[in-house]
Amino acid sequence: INIAYGRNKALRPHKAERMKAIEQHQFPELLRNIDQYGADNPNAHQQTIAGMQLMTLCFVRTKELRFFEWSEIDYHKNVWRIPAAKMKMRQDHIIPLSPQAMAIIERMRPLTEQTGYVFYNFERSQPYSEVWFNQALKRMGYGGRFSSHGFRSTATTILGLLGYPEKRVDLQLAHSKKSKDSSRAPYDHTKFVESRKVIMQDWADILDSLQAGKPVEGVTKAFGPMSKRRTALLRVIERE
């Protein structure tokens, strides 16, 4: 099944990261399995489930999620501001937070606010390890098939096939585009926030649609290049 059913020739997909990902048609099942993880694993940490859900929505790197601090949330603008020192490209990064993402974060407040970190392993008195979320995915049956970094490549592929603007998606992924022209500055990862807010809200709603079992054709109609959602996004881009 292809999320860009009938429009492959018109769309140019992004290049996926070389990390373990899964096929598009397997993604809705993964979303449901994450939600079900607590019921299937009674000893699972609530933070493990919330962390995987948030990686799905925000497609951040695992390290950025593990060291996510409450002080980095801008509640006035509903964004997560990651300082340059924490980023791979050593640039400040902004992640617009959809209502779906904010709801997951706020579930963690009673558990972890006192630690300073949104996700915190109380058993070891420190943030979660690099392998923690991968171990959870392995217990779900995805060992060797999918890693926590795969959330990024899956988002890249689906948004690319739906024709979302490549530059905005790359900015949201905090990619650094290298240019043969040395006079050109690298991407500023704090730019075009308004259009990125629209994309991140669209992404959250796409995930809801896929998880609910909406047909691929319906998702493409609702979020593809000819959709009303795309028209709204283009209007925001024009104003930027």
Side-chain angles (χ1 to χ4, degrees), residues 26-234:
Q26 299 172 315
F27 197 50
E29 182 182 20
L30 171 62
L31 298 176
R32 292 189 287 270
N33 287 340
I34 290 173
D35 284 354
Q36 185 67 20
Y37 183 70
D40 294 340
N41 298 270
N43 295 324
H45 294 189
Q46 293 183 45
Q47 298 174 71
T48 306
I49 302 165
M52 289 189 288
Q53 291 171 334
L54 200 62
M55 277 192 283
T56 307
L57 283 163
C58 299
F59 40 85
V60 290
R61 296 178 178 89
T62 309
K63 183 178 180 181
E64 295 154 10
L65 181 91
R66 291 167 48 224
F67 294 99
F68 181 11
E69 297 180 56
W70 286 103
S71 61
E72 294 169 359
I73 303 173
D74 182 339
Y75 285 97
H76 295 291
K77 296 185 178 181
N78 285 341
V79 298
W80 169 9
R81 300 181 183 275
I82 307 179
K86 287 187 174 184
M87 294 299 299
K88 181 178 180 180
M89 299 303 172
R90 291 298 184 262
Q91 291 181 312
D92 291 341
H93 187 47
I94 292 177
I95 301 169
L97 296 170
S98 63
Q100 292 96 318
M102 287 297 298
I104 292 168
I105 291 168
E106 287 305 305
R107 289 204 326 255
M108 298 299 98
R109 184 178 294 280
L111 294 173
T112 64
E113 185 176 21
Q114 74 275 19
T115 72
Y117 292 98
V118 177
F119 299 99
Y120 193 79
N121 189 340
F122 288 98
E123 293 179 358
R124 300 188 179 182
S125 300
Q126 63 183 21
Y128 285 100
S129 69
E130 178 71 27
V131 300
W132 185 271
F133 296 103
N134 286 335
Q135 288 174 340
L137 289 165
K138 184 176 181 179
R139 292 188 193 100
M140 292 163 55
Y142 293 97
R145 295 195 294 138
F146 188 81
S147 73
S148 56
H149 291 284
F151 291 115
R152 290 168 56 80
S153 56
T154 301
T156 303
T157 299
I158 294 176
L159 288 171
L161 289 173
L162 284 170
Y164 279 86
E166 183 176 358
K167 183 173 183 178
R168 263 64 174 186
V169 174
D170 280 333
L171 281 169
Q172 198 51 61
L173 286 158
H175 281 170
S176 179
K177 288 287 188 179
K178 294 182 180 180
S179 173
K180 294 180 180 179
D181 182 357
S182 60
S183 67
R184 292 184 63 185
Y187 282 176
D188 179 351
H189 297 141
T190 64
K191 289 181 66 177
F192 305 127
V193 174
E194 292 307 311
S195 58
R196 287 158 57 188
K197 284 183 178 179
V198 176
I199 292 172
M200 295 302 277
Q201 184 59 62
D202 280 3
W203 176 241
D205 294 339
I206 288 168
L207 293 177
D208 285 346
S209 297
L210 292 173
Q211 188 170 1
K214 188 170 184 177
V216 172
E217 293 84 350
V219 174
T220 303
K221 183 177 180 180
F223 298 97
M226 301 297 112
S227 66
K228 292 181 180 179
R229 304 281 291 249
R230 186 59 50 81
T231 299
L233 170 61
L234 293 176

